[in-house]
Amino acid sequence: MVSIDLLLAYGATYRKVKRQEFIFKEGQMASFLYVIEEGRVKMFNINDEGREFIQGIFHAGNSFGEPPVIIGEEYPANAVAMDDSILLRISREKLLLMLSENPEVHLQFTTMLASRLLAKAQNMKDLTSYGPEHRIHSLLKQYKKHCGCPDADTLKVELTRQEIADMTGLRVETVIRTMKAMEEKGMLQIENRKVLI
């Protein structure tokens, strides 16, 4: 994403958050773009039955909250720290100034947003058109790509079964049963309760 030095030059400030602390809540006006320096953050919604649906999990180096900040709307989801985390935050006004004065950064930013939009479209297709095995397999492929791991290499998945369930709209029991079947088919490996793809 954008270099820390550039963000700081345009007035970004640090914010430390504790594990399980909310960074923003759904419906709150989007005033800041956040970049994770240390830790992990999840964005999620809660449905009428109280079930969580994870929109995304972000790691060090990732930004989050971009679309509503850029267009001056409300955050469409909650964001909470999954670990004690250190974030950089930049206000909407300063972000827009930085992008307008740095066309190469603007292009990188736009490319990243387009990539996320494409992944969201794929997720919607998976959630509405396919069964559990396809949903899980597609999520794990996206996760591997997001981590920058080549297809030929093996990656340990740092997602819990519950997080996989919350990201695919499945029940955790279905995820466990389906992943066991996927292991038997050679689609993934499970070692010491960790998934390898």
Side-chain angles (χ1 to χ4, degrees):
M1 207 347 240
V2 182
S3 79
I4 290 174
D5 289 341
L6 184 61
L7 289 166
L8 291 171
Y10 277 87
T13 57
Y14 283 99
R15 178 177 172 195
K16 290 184 178 182
V17 290
K18 297 284 185 191
R19 183 177 183 275
Q20 299 300 324
E21 182 179 338
F22 277 86
I23 298 152
F24 54 76
K25 293 188 177 182
E26 181 178 353
Q28 180 182 336
M29 193 55 148
S31 303
F32 295 96
L33 167 83
Y34 292 89
V35 177
I36 303 170
E37 188 166 283
E38 291 179 21
R40 294 181 305 152
V41 171
K42 72 175 173 179
M43 287 186 64
F44 66 97
N45 300 100
I46 298 176
N47 68 15
D48 293 339
E49 291 85 41
R51 183 148 184 233
E52 189 175 287
F53 183 78
I54 296 176
Q55 297 285 345
I57 294 178
F58 303 93
H59 304 270
N62 294 154
S63 60
F64 61 96
E66 300 91 345
V69 172
I70 288 174
I71 62 174
E73 293 288 335
E74 298 173 348
Y75 292 114
N78 302 297
V80 69
M82 298 175 71
D83 308 307
D84 289 350
S85 300
I86 299 174
L87 310 174
L88 270 169
R89 70 180 194 172
I90 186 167
S91 71
R92 178 177 191 271
E93 296 76 21
K94 291 176 182 176
L95 172 67
L96 294 176
L97 178 63
M98 181 187 73
L99 293 175
S100 70
E101 292 181 351
N102 296 275
E104 70 288 347
V105 173
H106 197 296
L107 180 59
Q108 291 172 351
F109 195 78
T110 302
T111 301
M112 180 268 303
L113 286 175
S115 176
R116 284 195 193 161
L117 184 59
L118 184 61
K120 288 272 187 192
Q122 181 64 47
N123 288 345
M124 286 302 298
K125 181 175 131 186
D126 291 343
L127 288 174
T128 58
S129 304
Y130 297 104
E133 185 176 292
H134 183 89
R135 290 188 204 181
I136 293 168
H137 188 249
S138 181
L139 172 71
L140 295 177
K141 283 185 356 188
Q142 283 182 19
Y143 178 85
K144 190 171 185 175
K145 182 178 179 182
H146 177 74
C147 290
C149 183
D151 285 338
D153 293 350
T154 301
L155 177 73
K156 182 168 78 171
V157 176
E158 298 293 339
L159 297 171
T160 67
R161 306 302 194 272
Q162 185 63 58
E163 289 166 346
I164 292 170
D166 292 343
M167 294 174 89
T168 56
L170 300 168
R171 297 194 178 281
V172 71
E173 298 83 6
T174 304
V175 169
I176 293 167
R177 185 174 58 251
T178 303
M179 289 176 82
K180 193 76 163 151
M182 290 170 73
E183 181 184 31
E184 291 169 5
K185 292 179 180 179
M187 298 172 72
L188 54 81
Q189 298 171 299
I190 301 173
E191 292 180 9
N192 299 324
R193 298 184 42 82
K194 288 292 183 182
V195 176
L196 304 173
I197 55 170

